[in-house]
Amino acid sequence: MLDFTGRAVLVTGGTKGIGAAIAGAFLGAGADVVVCGRGTPDTLPAAGGREAVFVAADVRDPAAASSLVDAAVERFGRLDVLVNNAGGSPDADAATVSPQFVEKIVALNLLAPFYVAQAAHRAMRARDDGGSIINIGSVSAHDPQPGTAAYTAAKAGLLALTKALALEWAPAVRVNHITTGLIRTRSAASVYGADGGESVAGVIPMRRMAVPEDVARACLFLASDLSGYVNGADLAVHGGGEFPARYLAARTADRTD
């Protein structure tokens, strides 16, 4: 287990799903953790007898993003790790989607991570041991799916932003990216079918969908000293991706012959 005792971590969108798992993993490793969201959650991530600190913030607002980082530093006296996890989008038809929808999706998935990263960089750069920023991206940035045009564009931008910031902010602050694939969460049934993704798992080389803890463990690695020379990287946490459609079609045809 990695030891983050004495380190302070900020996880945006850290009150549920993947973000809550990330926050819980850092708490379990000894870190002090701040999570944020637009509304106060019923429960907060907890591990090892300790609980995350919640700060209400809409990270799409640059001033709110800056205040969020200030609150984390004021609470714990430092900021060592930022995980830009807040994001997402419902499916939408690119031909008819409104400009307002596109603006909101880009703001949440690209601009907000930029705003929070800027504020975190100001807090980290002056410290002798600097800091680590981890951006949670999506396989959509590499392999777009129907109904995700705005989201795909924003996530592709987040990947490029990661590499740009890694160039500018090293060596004091390392910036890395995680490409997430198909992840089993509480909302999996509505996204992947009534079986919660059991059928979908057949298209993944690892033969299962990811769980939030898979992403959380990758964050622990990228934030730790084990990855001290890892900067500007894109770590794929997607089980090997998905089998090509032609392979699945051929395999299905063989079974029916």
Short mmCIF file of all heavy atoms in Angstrom, two decimals, residues 126-173:
data_model
loop_
_atom_site.label_atom_id
_atom_site.label_comp_id
_atom_site.label_asym_id
_atom_site.label_seq_id
_atom_site.Cartn_x
_atom_site.Cartn_y
_atom_site.Cartn_z
N ALA A 126 5.18 26.65 -5.49
CA ALA A 126 6.12 27.28 -4.56
C ALA A 126 6.68 26.31 -3.54
O ALA A 126 7.63 26.63 -2.83
CB ALA A 126 5.44 28.44 -3.84
N ARG A 127 6.11 25.11 -3.47
CA ARG A 127 6.56 24.13 -2.48
C ARG A 127 7.73 23.33 -3.01
O ARG A 127 7.82 23.03 -4.20
CB ARG A 127 5.40 23.21 -2.10
CG ARG A 127 4.22 23.96 -1.49
CD ARG A 127 3.06 23.05 -1.13
NE ARG A 127 3.51 22.00 -0.22
CZ ARG A 127 3.58 20.72 -0.55
NH1 ARG A 127 3.25 20.32 -1.78
NH2 ARG A 127 3.98 19.83 0.34
N ASP A 128 8.62 22.92 -2.12
CA ASP A 128 9.82 22.21 -2.55
C ASP A 128 9.50 20.90 -3.26
O ASP A 128 10.17 20.53 -4.23
CB ASP A 128 10.71 21.91 -1.33
CG ASP A 128 11.34 23.17 -0.75
OD1 ASP A 128 11.40 24.18 -1.49
OD2 ASP A 128 11.75 23.14 0.42
N ASP A 129 8.45 20.20 -2.79
CA ASP A 129 8.12 18.92 -3.41
C ASP A 129 6.99 19.02 -4.43
O ASP A 129 6.48 18.00 -4.91
CB ASP A 129 7.76 17.87 -2.35
CG ASP A 129 6.76 18.37 -1.33
OD1 ASP A 129 6.36 19.55 -1.42
OD2 ASP A 129 6.35 17.59 -0.46
N GLY A 130 6.60 20.24 -4.79
CA GLY A 130 5.66 20.44 -5.88
C GLY A 130 4.34 19.74 -5.69
O GLY A 130 3.77 19.75 -4.60
N GLY A 131 3.86 19.10 -6.75
CA GLY A 131 2.57 18.44 -6.67
C GLY A 131 2.28 17.62 -7.90
O GLY A 131 3.08 17.55 -8.85
N SER A 132 1.11 16.99 -7.89
CA SER A 132 0.68 16.12 -8.98
C SER A 132 -0.76 16.42 -9.35
O SER A 132 -1.63 16.51 -8.46
CB SER A 132 0.82 14.64 -8.56
OG SER A 132 0.23 13.78 -9.51
N ILE A 133 -1.01 16.58 -10.63
CA ILE A 133 -2.37 16.80 -11.14
C ILE A 133 -2.73 15.63 -12.05
O ILE A 133 -1.95 15.25 -12.92
CB ILE A 133 -2.48 18.13 -11.90
CG1 ILE A 133 -2.22 19.30 -10.96
CG2 ILE A 133 -3.85 18.27 -12.57
CD1 ILE A 133 -2.17 20.65 -11.65
N ILE A 134 -3.91 15.06 -11.82
CA ILE A 134 -4.37 13.91 -12.61
C ILE A 134 -5.72 14.27 -13.22
O ILE A 134 -6.67 14.60 -12.50
CB ILE A 134 -4.51 12.65 -11.73
CG1 ILE A 134 -3.18 12.33 -11.06
CG2 ILE A 134 -5.00 11.47 -12.57
CD1 ILE A 134 -3.31 11.34 -9.92
N ASN A 135 -5.81 14.21 -14.53
CA ASN A 135 -7.05 14.49 -15.24
C ASN A 135 -7.72 13.18 -15.65
O ASN A 135 -7.09 12.33 -16.29
CB ASN A 135 -6.78 15.34 -16.48
CG ASN A 135 -6.28 16.73 -16.14
OD1 ASN A 135 -6.74 17.33 -15.17
ND2 ASN A 135 -5.35 17.25 -16.92
N ILE A 136 -8.97 13.02 -15.26
CA ILE A 136 -9.71 11.81 -15.59
C ILE A 136 -10.41 12.01 -16.94
O ILE A 136 -11.34 12.80 -17.06
CB ILE A 136 -10.73 11.45 -14.51
CG1 ILE A 136 -10.06 11.35 -13.14
CG2 ILE A 136 -11.44 10.14 -14.87
CD1 ILE A 136 -8.98 10.29 -13.05
N GLY A 137 -9.94 11.28 -17.93
CA GLY A 137 -10.49 11.40 -19.27
C GLY A 137 -11.35 10.21 -19.64
O GLY A 137 -11.84 9.48 -18.79
N SER A 138 -11.53 10.02 -20.92
CA SER A 138 -12.43 8.97 -21.42
C SER A 138 -11.89 8.38 -22.70
O SER A 138 -11.24 9.05 -23.50
CB SER A 138 -13.82 9.55 -21.67
OG SER A 138 -14.63 8.64 -22.38
N VAL A 139 -12.23 7.10 -22.91
CA VAL A 139 -11.88 6.44 -24.15
C VAL A 139 -12.53 7.13 -25.34
O VAL A 139 -12.08 6.98 -26.48
CB VAL A 139 -12.28 4.95 -24.08
CG1 VAL A 139 -13.80 4.80 -24.09
CG2 VAL A 139 -11.64 4.13 -25.18
N SER A 140 -13.57 7.92 -25.08
CA SER A 140 -14.23 8.67 -26.16
C SER A 140 -13.26 9.63 -26.85
O SER A 140 -13.45 9.95 -28.02
CB SER A 140 -15.42 9.46 -25.61
OG SER A 140 -16.45 8.59 -25.18
N ALA A 141 -12.24 10.08 -26.14
CA ALA A 141 -11.26 10.98 -26.75
C ALA A 141 -10.49 10.29 -27.85
O ALA A 141 -9.99 10.94 -28.78
CB ALA A 141 -10.29 11.50 -25.69
N HIS A 142 -10.37 8.97 -27.77
CA HIS A 142 -9.65 8.17 -28.77
C HIS A 142 -10.60 7.48 -29.74
O HIS A 142 -10.27 7.27 -30.91
CB HIS A 142 -8.80 7.11 -28.08
CG HIS A 142 -7.81 7.64 -27.10
ND1 HIS A 142 -6.53 8.03 -27.45
CD2 HIS A 142 -7.91 7.85 -25.76
CE1 HIS A 142 -5.89 8.45 -26.37
NE2 HIS A 142 -6.70 8.35 -25.33
N ASP A 143 -11.77 7.09 -29.24
CA ASP A 143 -12.70 6.27 -30.02
C ASP A 143 -14.12 6.80 -29.81
O ASP A 143 -14.86 6.29 -28.97
CB ASP A 143 -12.59 4.81 -29.56
CG ASP A 143 -13.45 3.88 -30.39
OD1 ASP A 143 -13.84 4.26 -31.50
OD2 ASP A 143 -13.74 2.76 -29.91
N PRO A 144 -14.53 7.82 -30.55
CA PRO A 144 -15.84 8.44 -30.35
C PRO A 144 -16.99 7.46 -30.56
O PRO A 144 -16.90 6.54 -31.37
CB PRO A 144 -15.87 9.55 -31.40
CG PRO A 144 -14.45 9.81 -31.74
CD PRO A 144 -13.75 8.49 -31.61
N GLN A 145 -18.06 7.68 -29.79
CA GLN A 145 -19.28 6.91 -29.93
C GLN A 145 -20.41 7.82 -30.39
O GLN A 145 -20.39 9.02 -30.13
CB GLN A 145 -19.64 6.28 -28.57
CG GLN A 145 -18.55 5.40 -27.97
CD GLN A 145 -18.26 4.18 -28.81
OE1 GLN A 145 -19.18 3.51 -29.28
NE2 GLN A 145 -16.98 3.88 -29.03
N PRO A 146 -21.42 7.28 -31.07
CA PRO A 146 -22.56 8.10 -31.48
C PRO A 146 -23.23 8.78 -30.28
O PRO A 146 -23.35 8.19 -29.20
CB PRO A 146 -23.52 7.08 -32.13
CG PRO A 146 -22.64 5.96 -32.57
CD PRO A 146 -21.55 5.88 -31.55
N GLY A 147 -23.61 10.02 -30.47
CA GLY A 147 -24.29 10.76 -29.41
C GLY A 147 -23.38 11.48 -28.44
O GLY A 147 -23.86 12.04 -27.45
N THR A 148 -22.08 11.49 -28.74
CA THR A 148 -21.14 12.08 -27.77
C THR A 148 -20.24 13.14 -28.40
O THR A 148 -19.12 13.33 -27.94
CB THR A 148 -20.26 10.98 -27.14
OG1 THR A 148 -19.40 10.42 -28.15
CG2 THR A 148 -21.09 9.88 -26.53
N ALA A 149 -20.71 13.83 -29.43
CA ALA A 149 -19.82 14.74 -30.16
C ALA A 149 -19.20 15.80 -29.27
O ALA A 149 -17.98 16.00 -29.27
CB ALA A 149 -20.59 15.39 -31.31
N ALA A 150 -20.02 16.50 -28.48
CA ALA A 150 -19.49 17.57 -27.63
C ALA A 150 -18.59 16.99 -26.55
O ALA A 150 -17.50 17.53 -26.26
CB ALA A 150 -20.64 18.36 -27.00
N TYR A 151 -19.01 15.90 -25.94
CA TYR A 151 -18.23 15.25 -24.89
C TYR A 151 -16.90 14.74 -25.45
O TYR A 151 -15.84 14.93 -24.83
CB TYR A 151 -19.05 14.09 -24.32
CG TYR A 151 -18.37 13.28 -23.27
CD1 TYR A 151 -18.19 13.78 -21.99
CD2 TYR A 151 -17.92 11.98 -23.53
CE1 TYR A 151 -17.58 13.01 -20.99
CE2 TYR A 151 -17.31 11.22 -22.56
CZ TYR A 151 -17.14 11.74 -21.29
OH TYR A 151 -16.53 10.98 -20.31
N THR A 152 -16.95 14.11 -26.61
CA THR A 152 -15.73 13.60 -27.24
C THR A 152 -14.74 14.73 -27.51
O THR A 152 -13.55 14.61 -27.23
CB THR A 152 -16.07 12.87 -28.55
OG1 THR A 152 -16.75 11.65 -28.23
CG2 THR A 152 -14.83 12.57 -29.35
N ALA A 153 -15.24 15.83 -28.06
CA ALA A 153 -14.37 16.96 -28.36
C ALA A 153 -13.74 17.53 -27.10
O ALA A 153 -12.55 17.87 -27.06
CB ALA A 153 -15.16 18.05 -29.09
N ALA A 154 -14.55 17.63 -26.04
CA ALA A 154 -14.03 18.16 -24.77
C ALA A 154 -12.99 17.24 -24.17
O ALA A 154 -11.95 17.70 -23.68
CB ALA A 154 -15.18 18.38 -23.80
N LYS A 155 -13.24 15.93 -24.19
CA LYS A 155 -12.29 14.99 -23.61
C LYS A 155 -11.01 14.89 -24.44
O LYS A 155 -9.92 14.70 -23.89
CB LYS A 155 -12.94 13.61 -23.47
CG LYS A 155 -13.96 13.53 -22.36
CD LYS A 155 -13.36 13.87 -20.99
CE LYS A 155 -14.31 13.59 -19.85
NZ LYS A 155 -13.75 13.98 -18.53
N ALA A 156 -11.12 15.02 -25.75
CA ALA A 156 -9.92 15.08 -26.57
C ALA A 156 -9.11 16.33 -26.22
O ALA A 156 -7.87 16.31 -26.17
CB ALA A 156 -10.29 15.08 -28.05
N GLY A 157 -9.82 17.42 -25.97
CA GLY A 157 -9.14 18.64 -25.54
C GLY A 157 -8.47 18.48 -24.19
O GLY A 157 -7.38 19.02 -23.97
N LEU A 158 -9.10 17.73 -23.28
CA LEU A 158 -8.51 17.51 -21.96
C LEU A 158 -7.20 16.73 -22.07
O LEU A 158 -6.24 17.02 -21.36
CB LEU A 158 -9.50 16.76 -21.07
CG LEU A 158 -9.04 16.46 -19.64
CD1 LEU A 158 -8.80 17.77 -18.87
CD2 LEU A 158 -10.06 15.59 -18.92
N LEU A 159 -7.17 15.75 -22.95
CA LEU A 159 -5.94 14.99 -23.16
C LEU A 159 -4.83 15.89 -23.70
O LEU A 159 -3.69 15.85 -23.22
CB LEU A 159 -6.19 13.83 -24.12
CG LEU A 159 -4.99 12.99 -24.53
CD1 LEU A 159 -4.27 12.42 -23.32
CD2 LEU A 159 -5.44 11.87 -25.47
N ALA A 160 -5.16 16.73 -24.67
CA ALA A 160 -4.17 17.66 -25.22
C ALA A 160 -3.74 18.69 -24.16
O ALA A 160 -2.56 19.05 -24.08
CB ALA A 160 -4.74 18.37 -26.44
N LEU A 161 -4.70 19.15 -23.37
CA LEU A 161 -4.38 20.09 -22.29
C LEU A 161 -3.40 19.47 -21.31
O LEU A 161 -2.45 20.13 -20.86
CB LEU A 161 -5.66 20.50 -21.57
CG LEU A 161 -5.49 21.39 -20.34
CD1 LEU A 161 -4.93 22.76 -20.73
CD2 LEU A 161 -6.81 21.54 -19.59
N THR A 162 -3.62 18.21 -20.97
CA THR A 162 -2.71 17.52 -20.06
C THR A 162 -1.28 17.57 -20.55
O THR A 162 -0.35 17.89 -19.80
CB THR A 162 -3.15 16.05 -19.90
OG1 THR A 162 -4.47 16.01 -19.35
CG2 THR A 162 -2.19 15.29 -18.99
N LYS A 163 -1.09 17.26 -21.82
CA LYS A 163 0.26 17.23 -22.38
C LYS A 163 0.87 18.63 -22.42
O LYS A 163 2.07 18.80 -22.18
CB LYS A 163 0.22 16.61 -23.77
CG LYS A 163 -0.20 15.14 -23.75
CD LYS A 163 -0.24 14.55 -25.15
CE LYS A 163 -0.65 13.08 -25.10
NZ LYS A 163 -0.66 12.46 -26.44
N ALA A 164 0.03 19.63 -22.71
CA ALA A 164 0.54 21.01 -22.75
C ALA A 164 0.96 21.49 -21.36
O ALA A 164 2.03 22.10 -21.19
CB ALA A 164 -0.54 21.93 -23.33
N LEU A 165 0.13 21.21 -20.36
CA LEU A 165 0.47 21.64 -19.00
C LEU A 165 1.69 20.89 -18.47
O LEU A 165 2.49 21.45 -17.72
CB LEU A 165 -0.72 21.42 -18.07
CG LEU A 165 -1.99 22.23 -18.39
CD1 LEU A 165 -3.05 21.97 -17.33
CD2 LEU A 165 -1.70 23.72 -18.50
N ALA A 166 1.81 19.62 -18.86
CA ALA A 166 2.98 18.84 -18.43
C ALA A 166 4.27 19.48 -18.93
O ALA A 166 5.29 19.48 -18.23
CB ALA A 166 2.86 17.41 -18.93
N LEU A 167 4.23 20.03 -20.12
CA LEU A 167 5.41 20.70 -20.68
C LEU A 167 5.73 21.99 -19.94
O LEU A 167 6.89 22.29 -19.66
CB LEU A 167 5.16 21.02 -22.16
CG LEU A 167 5.14 19.85 -23.15
CD1 LEU A 167 4.70 20.35 -24.52
CD2 LEU A 167 6.51 19.20 -23.24
N GLU A 168 4.69 22.74 -19.61
CA GLU A 168 4.89 24.06 -19.02
C GLU A 168 5.22 24.02 -17.52
O GLU A 168 5.96 24.86 -17.02
CB GLU A 168 3.65 24.92 -19.23
CG GLU A 168 3.41 25.31 -20.69
CD GLU A 168 2.37 26.42 -20.80
OE1 GLU A 168 2.30 27.28 -19.90
OE2 GLU A 168 1.64 26.42 -21.81
N TRP A 169 4.65 23.05 -16.80
CA TRP A 169 4.70 23.11 -15.35
C TRP A 169 5.73 22.20 -14.72
O TRP A 169 5.97 22.27 -13.51
CB TRP A 169 3.32 22.82 -14.77
CG TRP A 169 2.31 23.89 -15.09
CD1 TRP A 169 2.57 25.09 -15.69
CD2 TRP A 169 0.91 23.85 -14.85
NE1 TRP A 169 1.42 25.82 -15.84
CE2 TRP A 169 0.37 25.08 -15.33
CE3 TRP A 169 0.04 22.93 -14.28
CZ2 TRP A 169 -1.00 25.38 -15.24
CZ3 TRP A 169 -1.31 23.23 -14.20
CH2 TRP A 169 -1.82 24.44 -14.66
N ALA A 170 6.35 21.33 -15.49
CA ALA A 170 7.41 20.49 -14.94
C ALA A 170 8.66 21.36 -14.68
O ALA A 170 8.84 22.39 -15.33
CB ALA A 170 7.75 19.37 -15.93
N PRO A 171 9.49 20.97 -13.71
CA PRO A 171 9.42 19.75 -12.91
C PRO A 171 8.63 19.89 -11.61
O PRO A 171 8.42 18.90 -10.92
CB PRO A 171 10.89 19.48 -12.60
CG PRO A 171 11.49 20.85 -12.49
CD PRO A 171 10.78 21.69 -13.52
N ALA A 172 8.20 21.10 -11.28
CA ALA A 172 7.55 21.28 -9.97
C ALA A 172 6.22 20.53 -9.88
O ALA A 172 5.91 19.92 -8.86
CB ALA A 172 7.32 22.77 -9.71
N VAL A 173 5.43 20.60 -10.96
CA VAL A 173 4.11 19.98 -10.95
C VAL A 173 4.00 19.02 -12.12
O VAL A 173 4.15 19.41 -13.28
CB VAL A 173 3.00 21.05 -11.03
CG1 VAL A 173 1.62 20.39 -11.07
CG2 VAL A 173 3.09 22.02 -9.86
#
